[in-house]
């Protein structure tokens, strides 16, 4: 029997039919898969909000601002394996609003909204998440700067002029007060955000918010400028985005000139590019800003102004008009600064247990990370002060020979006032002339960064004498996010008000002729700001490395 076969025409017909079926079926199947994926992402986003509400029922003090992709599992028992980023805010009706950028199985998608109104869209359509529904986020659209993030127990304050007593008085306010802060260019608008920590006895610390920014030095890069200072331009970041939506050219921070950063020095010298500031990278986390102590640290016990080597049973405060806390090794000062987290003076939950390798304590739910100020953080305050958003001109010295915090003299180089505050030439921080010693030229700025006591920073020369480095052994063993280390002067480090703002490793060669001296083998530790009697050598661009890190009567510190 003869077998029949398909003709060529019949085969072509079958192929055409299959092609038509595929053309109809594949988009349909793809659409179904995409819908299922988006539906699953939507359900997951709702589960995050549901878990937040449940957590708050269990713990009424829980702060949603502490949530991120790194701690979502720990705090809410939810996996963040498919999350690239997470932000939790509230809408105008006080409902929780999530913004989640996906990765892995949700790569290229964004979920945003409240529990009853979640939208999932491709990341290219991110504008769906920037509508008027969001009233809280990292970035303040109206003021063009990142919103301050209050830790548990912190209270926003603003300053009001008392015409009768002729002083500035603090006034507690709320986060939604439009007058709380403004990072403007004129004196009335140079209101850096201020807040206080409190316990039952009253205020224990004053804080100033330094919002994330990128910078460029347009003149006098790595020069002394013959007694004057260069110019710094600031571009406030949008959240952790330093490029400000792609509207500025930016180069990444690098410690040394290498193949990736070969043009860094020329770019900054010519002022044609911005640099992202290293103070806003804390370990492996990009942060939107940080709080810095408004004054040099003082002690909870007036008799303990001389530390005497104590690291336990002693709390520090950040208050004006108080003798600063001194006479302790750089390592002990670092330890006491870290132990602020373990004190009940500041309104946050007390951390307990031992320090972990990531720098946190074994029981640590207070969403703060107190530490001795680093060079990078000092530089962030100094650069902002020199920009149009700060005082811009030289900061007046604190001339108090009694090491009282928050005082101003009669000029940037006029120091050593023995009768402070009972003198016509020494002014408290909140008097009419006092703000001349702040970083803004207003009462909203940071004080004591010129004069007062020398301030140890958590910064050192790595190849210094082992015997002298041992004075800061707790810093040497601490997580890298708490310290800056150096191998010499000409290393092109960024943002620290050291190499970029001085022309030599030794002498009065920093901006405004502030003293510059890099640590050496015998004296490997940095200190900043100058002394009350330092005259023209003192200032925010002053740095000195002539210290072994030992306990000295005129050395204090600052916390961040």
């Amino acid at each position: 029997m003869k077998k029949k076969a398909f003709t060529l025409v019949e085969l072509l017909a079958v192929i055409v039919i299959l092609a038509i079926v595929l053309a109809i079926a594949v988009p349909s199947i793809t659409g179904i898969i995409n819908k299922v994926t988006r539906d699953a992402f939507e359900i997951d986003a709702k589960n995050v909000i549901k878990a937040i509400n449940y957590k708050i029922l269990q713990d009424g003090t829980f702060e949603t601002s502490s949530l991120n992709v790194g701690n979502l599992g720990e705090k809410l028992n939810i996996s963040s394996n498919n999350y690239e980023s997470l932000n939790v805010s509230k809408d105008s009706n006080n409902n929780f609003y999530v913004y989640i950028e996906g990765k892995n199985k949700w790569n290229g998608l964004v979920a945003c909204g409240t529990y009853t109104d979640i939208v999932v869209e491709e990341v290219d359509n991110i504008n769906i998440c920037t509508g008027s529904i969001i009233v809280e986020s990292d970035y303040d659209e109206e003021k063009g700067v990142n919103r301050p993030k209050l830790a548990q127990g912190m209270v926003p304050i603003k300053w009001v002029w008392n015409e009768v007593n002729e002083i500035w008085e603090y006034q507690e306010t709320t986060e939604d007060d439009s007058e709380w802060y403004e990072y403007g260019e004129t004196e009335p608008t140079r209101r850096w955000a201020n807040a206080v920590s409190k316990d039952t006895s009253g205020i224990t610390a004053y804080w100033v918010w330094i919002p994330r920014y990128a910078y460029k030095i347009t003149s006098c890069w790595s020069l002394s400028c013959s007694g004057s200072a260069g110019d710094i331009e600031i571009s406030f970041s949008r959240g952790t985005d330093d490029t400000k939506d792609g509207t500025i050219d930016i180069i990444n921070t690098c410690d040394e000139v290498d193949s990736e950063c070969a043009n860094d020095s020329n770019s900054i010298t010519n002022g044609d590019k911005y640099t992202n500031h290293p103070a806003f990278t804390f370990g492996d986390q990009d942060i939107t800003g940080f709080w810095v102590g408004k004054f040099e640290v003082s002690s909870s016990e007036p008799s303990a102004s001389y530390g005497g080597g104590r690291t336990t049973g002693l709390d520090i405060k950040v208050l004006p008009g108080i003798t600063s806390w001194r006479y302790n090794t750089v390592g002990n000062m670092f330890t006491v600064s870290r132990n602020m987290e373990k004190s009940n003076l500041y309104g946050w939950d007390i951390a307990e247990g031992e320090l972990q390798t990531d720098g946190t304590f074994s029981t640590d739910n207070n969403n703060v990370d107190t530490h001795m100020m680093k060079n990078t953080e000092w530089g962030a305050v100094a650069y902002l002060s020199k920009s149009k958003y700060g005082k811009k001109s030289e900061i007046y010295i604190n001339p108090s020979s009694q090491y009282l915090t928050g005082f101003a003299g009669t000029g940037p180089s006029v120091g050593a006032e023995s009768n402070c505050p009972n003198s016509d030439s020494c002014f408290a921080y909140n008097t009419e002339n006092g703000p001349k010693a702040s970083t803004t030229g207003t009462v909203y700025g940071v004080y004591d960064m010129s004069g007062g006591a020398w301030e140890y920073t958590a910064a050192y020369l790595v190849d210094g004498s082992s015997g002298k480095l041992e004075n800061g052994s707790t810093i040497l063993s601490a997580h890298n996010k708490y310290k800056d280390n150096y191998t010499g002067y000409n290393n092109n480090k960024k943002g620290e008000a050291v190499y970029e703002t001085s022309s030599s490793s030794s002498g009065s060669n920093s901006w405004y002729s502030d003293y510059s001296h890099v640590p050496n083998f015998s004296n490997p530790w940095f200190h900043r700001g100058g002394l009350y009697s330092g005259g023209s050598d003192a200032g925010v661009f002053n740095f000195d490395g002539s210290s072994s890190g030992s306990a000295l009567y005129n050395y204090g510190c600052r916390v961040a």
Side-chain angles (χ1 to χ4, degrees), residues 6-16:
F6 290 109
T7 65
L8 180 59
V9 173
E10 289 173 326
L11 287 173
L12 288 174
V14 171
I15 292 172
V16 170

Side-chain angles (χ1 to χ4, degrees), residues 48 52 64-65 67 86-90 96-99 136:
V48 172
I52 291 172
T64 57
S65 60
L67 289 173
L86 166 72
N87 183 65
V88 181
S89 56
K90 284 187 177 180
F96 285 113
Y97 186 106
V98 296
Y99 171 92
E136 294 179 13

Side-chain angles (χ1 to χ4, degrees), residues 138-140 144-148 181 209 211-212 237-240 288-289:
D138 290 335
Y139 186 72
D140 188 322
V145 68
N146 283 340
R147 288 185 172 87
Y181 64 88
W209 174 254
R212 185 184 182 104
S237 306
R238 180 183 292 271
T240 57
T288 59

